[in-house]
Amino acid sequence: MPQKKLRVELLAMTPEPLSLIYAAFRQCYHAGFVADMWPRLLSGEIGREKQAEFVQSVLESGHDSPVEHVSFSFAVEGISRACSHQLVRHRIASYSQQSQRYVDESDMDYILPPAIARIPEARERFETLMVEISGAYRELRGLLAANGRGAKANEDARFVLPQAAETKIVLTMNCRALLHFFSLRCCARAQWEIRDMALAMLAICRDRLPALFAVAGARCERLGYCPESARFTCGRYPLRDNGA
């Protein structure tokens, strides 16, 4: 039952994402039919740089719904159940998560919070507890199986598993949902684990679609000031001047 480390991999994304977003934006303002423009976009007749400039200029106006036509699908492992509970609160997304009902957790992997890892006594207590919980799970699973629960023993034994238990998940978000996700979860105030995951996802998105994600991230990075109150700001950016 080792500690698990975060791993984020891109499984798939919408083909020709920049051209698709460009076409969707253009259709909003173009009298013609963008399907007739599509071959020119793919051939490079309408260059990528021009497409990117147009997309960025429209986004700056606040019009962002056409970016919903492009989505990214990620596979993530090495996150805790505590993290996944935060993740699935982002509702404009699709999730497929490893089930503790069907997967045997007798050798449960777990996530060790860095703050606990830095304190030897805390780490020792935490790791001892993980071993104790795994033992309790195995014992309960065996008792349940021996008393008629059979293959469904996991279903009830899982009730002793901690939030530290590692989970794996596939998630798909469109670009508008991703921009919102990054604005919240890349913030210094976000919980460390989901922030690490968000930053790893953002790095992939920036590499694959820089025209859209180059300026994505915590809200302060886009705004140039901290939208939080003086009580909650991390101090990285100045607070908004409410008198301006």
Side-chain angles (χ1 to χ4, degrees):
M1 47 176 294
Q3 303 166 34
K4 293 287 287 189
K5 300 297 184 182
L6 174 69
R7 181 183 175 192
V8 178
E9 298 287 345
L10 179 67
L11 296 183
M13 61 182 292
T14 305
E16 302 296 341
L18 177 59
S19 295
L20 179 54
I21 292 173
Y22 177 88
F25 271 128
R26 282 296 305 271
Q27 190 63 87
C28 296
Y29 307 107
H30 181 53
F33 186 36
V34 295
D36 298 329
M37 182 192 303
W38 188 246
R40 298 169 57 210
L41 293 174
L42 298 187
S43 69
E45 183 180 341
I46 301 176
R48 298 281 178 174
E49 185 175 338
K50 181 178 180 179
Q51 294 179 43
E53 289 175 354
F54 179 79
V55 166
Q56 290 164 353
S57 67
V58 179
L59 282 171
E60 288 173 1
S61 74
H63 183 193
D64 61 358
S65 60
V67 304
E68 293 178 9
H69 294 291
V70 170
S71 64
F72 287 71
S73 295
F74 300 91
V76 180
E77 71 169 358
I79 61 170
S80 68
R81 279 272 168 169
C83 182
S84 70
H85 291 329
Q86 296 180 76
L87 175 62
V88 299
R89 291 190 177 99
H90 293 270
R91 295 178 179 85
I92 311 301
S94 297
Y95 303 103
S96 299
Q97 185 171 8
Q98 186 180 64
S99 172
Q100 291 179 336
R101 185 182 181 192
Y102 297 108
V103 175
D104 182 359
E105 295 282 1
S106 295
D107 295 311
M108 175 195 74
D109 295 327
Y110 61 87
I111 308 304
L112 177 64
I116 293 178
R118 287 192 291 268
I119 305 170
E121 298 86 355
R123 178 171 186 154
E124 181 180 2
R125 183 67 188 97
F126 183 92
E127 292 178 337
T128 298
L129 179 60
M130 295 301 105
V131 173
E132 292 170 355
I133 290 174
S134 288
Y137 174 89
R138 288 191 294 271
E139 183 179 354
L140 287 169
R141 185 172 177 270
L143 290 169
L144 288 163
N147 284 271
R149 290 295 281 163
K152 292 186 176 181
N154 294 352
E155 183 172 287
D156 297 316
R158 63 178 168 161
F159 276 70
V160 300
L161 296 175
Q163 292 206 74
E166 187 258 352
T167 190
K168 300 173 177 65
I169 194 165
V170 172
L171 66 127
T172 299
M173 291 186 184
N174 68 50
C175 288
R176 196 181 193 185
L178 281 166
L179 289 169
H180 179 256
F181 175 73
F182 295 144
S183 74
L184 297 178
R185 301 302 186 174
C186 292
C187 175
R189 288 195 61 225
Q191 186 257 356
W192 64 268
E193 190 180 10
I194 198 167
R195 183 171 65 248
D196 288 350
M197 186 186 74
L199 291 171
M201 291 167 59
L202 176 57
I204 292 171
C205 290
R206 282 177 172 168
D207 178 66
R208 297 303 184 100
L209 189 52
L212 189 62
F213 291 104
V215 295
R219 288 178 294 173
C220 58
E221 295 179 5
R222 185 181 72 255
L223 298 172
Y225 63 84
C226 177
E228 302 284 350
S229 67
R231 177 185 176 189
F232 295 114
T233 183
C234 71
R236 182 180 174 192
Y237 283 85
L239 293 173
R240 175 172 51 190
D241 184 359
N242 293 323

